[in-house]
Amino acid sequence: GHVTPQRPMTDEEKHQRIMQVLMQKREAFSISILTGMVQGAVTNKDVTNIQCKSLVDLAVNMADALLEKLYPIPKEDKE
């Protein structure tokens, strides 16, 4: 059969795809980091639910820092 060639992606579509991939990585990293921290926290019998909930923000912040290190965004030169 005949295969229609796929049209090239526009710059906007490329940008949207990159953002989608990065958001998926952010979510996966956050969940992985949070899982590790909560598993460590529950071994401490004195930890409270509120203390564990505070780990959520920390996990997302750590995921953001990891993304920045792994996938640095080049700064555009301003002329």
Side-chain angles (χ1 to χ4, degrees), residues 3-48:
V3 176
T4 305
Q6 191 176 22
R7 70 169 175 76
M9 293 174 70
T10 65
D11 286 344
E12 178 62 27
E13 289 170 332
K14 288 177 189 175
H15 177 72
Q16 287 177 350
R17 180 66 183 133
I18 290 168
M19 294 307 294
Q20 180 184 22
V21 168
L22 289 176
M23 292 305 293
Q24 289 170 342
K25 287 187 177 295
R26 183 182 193 226
E27 178 182 359
F29 290 161
S30 296
I31 291 169
S32 178
I33 292 166
L34 180 62
T35 299
M37 289 190 301
V38 169
Q39 285 175 346
V42 296
T43 61
N44 178 354
K45 296 186 189 308
D46 295 328
V47 76
T48 66

Side-chain angles (χ1 to χ4, degrees), residues 56-75:
V56 173
D57 290 334
L58 180 56
V60 173
N61 289 336
M62 291 174 75
D64 288 344
L66 182 57
L67 282 170
E68 288 173 15
K69 286 284 187 187
L70 294 176
Y71 308 102
I73 298 173
K75 296 190 188 305

